[in-house]
Amino acid sequence: MTTQTATDYTTTIDLDRSPDEVSAAIADVGRWWLGDVTGQAERVGDEFTYRYRDLHDSTQQVTVFEPGRRIVWDVIDSELGFVAEPDPWTGTRIVFDLQPSGDGTRLTFTHEGLTPAKECYDACSAGWDHFVVGSLRRFVETGAGVPL
């Protein structure tokens, strides 16, 4: 389910893998956040850059990495080529909260700072629906993400 209110973009999905397995999948960014990913996201202090054509260029730093519980990426630089605002993600946070749920994991994903007031909200929330609800889910469950 995706929440679209005056607050940050948030979605919650249930996965049929353990919280530790989901954490490992999240850290393997290049396998589900499809595009050109360079760098690492496996421990606090790691940085990675994501590029997709001339549409998206952003750098994230891992600021929290608690396997099976919580992962946070601070967006330290961004440029989206499809909006007038030059760096709409810079200063935002991408948060993965994991909780055991039945035989699997409930993942609550929040992009703190991505609100409907942002020019990129519609396109970016649709992107997160693709990457988290679609690609990450498929990667966790089958070992292969969903290309754009």
Side-chain angles (χ1 to χ4, degrees), residues 5-21:
T5 65
T7 61
D8 302 318
Y9 170 84
T10 300
T11 191
T12 301
I13 59 174
D14 290 308
L15 301 160
D16 64 358
R17 298 292 189 270
S18 73
D20 286 338
E21 289 173 299

Side-chain angles (χ1 to χ4, degrees), residues 76-92:
I76 57 176
D77 190 35
S78 69
E79 183 177 341
L80 304 183
F82 57 92
V83 293
E85 185 180 3
D87 58 353
W89 283 24
T90 302
T92 65

Side-chain angles (χ1 to χ4, degrees), residues 15-51:
L15 301 160
D16 64 358
R17 298 292 189 270
S18 73
D20 286 338
E21 289 173 299
V22 175
S23 293
I26 292 166
D28 197 353
V29 181
R31 301 279 306 276
W32 63 274
W33 217 20
L34 305 169
D36 181 21
V37 176
T38 56
Q40 302 294 318
E42 299 172 350
R43 62 189 53 85
V44 171
D46 281 356
E47 289 185 11
F48 70 93
T49 298
Y50 171 75
R51 288 183 183 87

Side-chain angles (χ1 to χ4, degrees), residues 26-113:
I26 292 166
D28 197 353
V29 181
R31 301 279 306 276
W32 63 274
W33 217 20
L34 305 169
D36 181 21
V37 176
T38 56
Q40 302 294 318
E42 299 172 350
R43 62 189 53 85
V44 171
D46 281 356
E47 289 185 11
F48 70 93
T49 298
Y50 171 75
R51 288 183 183 87
Y52 183 72
R53 300 183 189 165
D54 61 351
L55 299 174
H56 186 119
D57 189 341
S58 64
T59 301
Q60 285 69 220
Q61 181 179 51
V62 179
T63 55
V64 176
F65 195 88
E66 299 171 4
R69 297 190 57 226
R70 188 167 222 239
I71 297 170
V72 178
W73 303 335
D74 285 359
V75 182
I76 57 176
D77 190 35
S78 69
E79 183 177 341
L80 304 183
F82 57 92
V83 293
E85 185 180 3
D87 58 353
W89 283 24
T90 302
T92 65
R93 302 180 90 204
I94 298 167
V95 180
F96 303 84
D97 285 310
L98 299 97
Q99 295 180 321
S101 177
D103 291 335
T105 302
R106 174 158 288 171
L107 168 62
T108 301
F109 171 89
T110 305
H111 188 156
E112 295 177 357

